[in-house]
Amino acid sequence: MGMEKVILPKSLEGKTVLVAGAAGFVPSHVCELYVGLGAKVIGLDNFVTGTEANLTGLKSNSLFDFRECNIFESLPSFSGENIDYIFSLASPASPVDFSKIPMDIMRVNSEGTRFLLELAKEKKARFLEASTSEVYGDPEVHPQTEDYVGHVNPIGPRACYDEGKRFAEAMCTVYKNFHGVETRIVRIFNTYGPRMRPDDGRVIPNFINQAMNDQDISVYGDGSQTRSFCFVTDLVQAMHYVMHSPVDTPVNIGNPDEYTILEAAKFIIDVMGSNSKITHLPLPKDDPKKRRPDITKLQSFSDYVPQVGFREGLLETVEFFKSCV
Ligand code: UDP
């Protein structure tokens, strides 16, 4: 028997949404969606990876209220305020962050997430944890379904994030089972789009920057590893569906359109009409060989279909990077 499809609210006027990590790439788009629906949005960030620039549009909106803080130290006081929805989106997520700020990543996914879950318990808010495809590690199952428990190296270079998010999922589940908190968990697959940090080190920003400047495109290894790239507005729509669904177990969100990294490099050169050549650099340790979300579960309870194709999404991202220089 199929599940009933989620009906999204037409308006969230009178509701308050807390977004941890608001100045980050994906979260800034979440804030925009919710102020657009008429909700009051409180954004938190410590700017370790997020930027003021990502908040420019939001700050002129009277529904948006920003409070700078480091959520793994403490939260601001919300005494006397209602909170209806909490988005736990504060973790740095790029592999370049894993070697630079591993302690911040581990603390935000443990202490920070606990503070947010305590707040959800106190305010009776619905809580959504942004988990990741990284919980599957270097997967032996392809495409990845939510019931696959993963293949993660607990002491590898990606462990601060992979295990951080696995811990965060575990803690959400405990708060659900022992404290009755309404938790939702999304596992985000590779996402790209405007407001990604141009120097974030991930594959799409690197390739676009290189192609824009006719520099060599840095393919790690032979480029046969795969990723499936989702445009940010599609991803945020998927998160919105999960937040408003009754599904309290993990849900993969992303775009199942899968490319080898070499194909992606060639595609970007082509789309941008660049003169760049491809060069090969060493493959980082524990780099997952394959990644594609199975989104059957998401589609069983929502009308989610990715709307933005790779070419269109890349062109929008290129425009954004051009506006940054
Ligand atoms: N990658 C690459 N060249 C780059 C950056 C990344 O070939 O300049 C590869 C990387 O080895 C990985 C894939 O692209 O296989 C995606 O890497 P990214 O850092 O974007 O995120 P991940 O999916 O590994 O978390």
Side-chain angles (χ1 to χ4, degrees):
M1 218 175 58
M3 267 187 83
E4 255 178 68
K5 302 269 170 153
V6 179
I7 298 170
L8 292 173
K10 291 219 164 40
S11 158
L12 286 172
E13 255 172 66
K15 301 284 185 194
T16 301
V17 182
L18 179 70
V19 179
F25 157 50
V26 172
S28 66
H29 290 270
V30 172
C31 293
E32 267 177 7
L33 174 73
Y34 281 87
V35 294
L37 286 166
K40 176 182 171 190
V41 175
I42 304 171
L44 309 178
D45 211 299
N46 65 353
F47 296 113
V48 65
T49 54
T51 63
E52 290 271 5
N54 285 347
L55 300 175
T56 310
L58 285 160
K59 279 199 160 164
S60 59
N61 192 314
S62 60
L63 287 170
F64 185 68
D65 172 6
F66 183 74
R67 304 180 195 177
E68 185 170 344
C69 70
N70 190 345
I71 68 156
F72 62 73
E73 300 284 357
S74 63
L75 295 183
S77 165
F78 294 101
S79 134
E81 292 181 89
N82 286 332
I83 300 177
D84 301 286
Y85 300 97
I86 298 178
F87 282 90
S88 171
L89 314 180
S91 178
S94 169
V96 297
D97 301 325
F98 303 167
S99 55
K100 284 195 194 139
I101 44 171
M103 243 359 260
D104 290 45
I105 294 173
M106 297 192 75
R107 292 189 67 188
V108 76
N109 285 303
S110 51
E111 293 157 276
T113 305
R114 185 173 74 81
F115 287 141
L116 293 175
L117 279 161
E118 279 294 322
L119 185 66
K121 181 176 144 197
E122 179 195 329
K123 301 287 184 186
K124 303 198 179 347
R126 189 177 285 182
F127 179 98
L128 181 140
E129 175 64 28
S131 184
T132 167
S133 55
E134 289 285 332
V135 300
Y136 300 123
D138 188 7
E140 303 127 307
V141 166
H142 192 76
Q144 290 79 55
T145 46
E146 290 85 351
D147 54 6
Y148 176 52
V149 295
H151 180 221
V152 174
N153 177 359
I155 57 165
R158 305 172 83 100
C160 58
Y161 186 59
D162 302 12
E163 298 292 10
K165 284 298 179 194
R166 289 169 70 93
F167 182 82
E169 286 198 15
M171 195 160 43
C172 283
T173 309
V174 169
Y175 270 80
K176 176 181 79 172
N177 292 340
F178 289 82
H179 299 298
V181 176
E182 276 192 51
T183 55
R184 303 288 179 266
I185 297 171
V186 290
R187 293 182 176 154
I188 300 176
F189 283 65
N190 293 67
T191 302
Y192 71 101
R195 304 208 201 105
M196 262 189 125
R197 278 182 288 157
D199 61 349
D200 125 325
R202 282 190 271 201
V203 66
I204 301 279
N206 277 6
F207 286 4
I208 289 180
N209 283 324
Q210 291 158 347
M212 223 156 53
N213 298 305
D214 286 338
Q215 292 164 351
D216 285 354
I217 305 284
S218 57
V219 169
Y220 300 162
D222 64 6
S224 64
Q225 70 272 32
T226 72
R227 294 293 186 274
S228 308
F229 299 105
C230 186
F231 192 67
V232 63
T233 50
D234 282 330
L235 186 94
V236 166
Q237 189 64 20
M239 270 191 184
H240 186 42
Y241 272 122
V242 176
M243 183 57 118
H244 291 89
S245 80
V247 180
D248 60 9
T249 49
V251 181
N252 289 337
I253 61 173
N255 185 333
D257 200 11
E258 183 181 8
Y259 294 82
T260 69
I261 294 302
L262 193 60
E263 281 168 351
K266 289 179 178 160
F267 192 70
I268 289 173
I269 291 173
D270 176 54
V271 167
M272 294 179 64
S274 166
N275 296 316
S276 291
K277 302 269 172 296
I278 287 169
T279 184
H280 291 268
L281 296 177
L283 188 68
K285 183 170 167 9
D286 290 348
D287 196 284
K289 282 181 274 307
K290 281 179 168 207
R291 188 181 284 158
R292 169 156 59 101
D294 182 322
I295 58 167
T296 309
K297 183 170 175 180
L298 172 63
Q299 291 182 321
S300 72
F301 64 82
S302 76
D303 293 321
Y304 173 78
V305 180
Q307 302 293 316
V308 183
F310 200 24
R311 175 180 298 271
E312 189 191 334
L314 281 172
L315 290 173
E316 275 204 46
T317 312
V318 170
E319 281 316 302
F320 169 74
F321 284 148
K322 280 188 183 154
S323 75
C324 293
V325 286

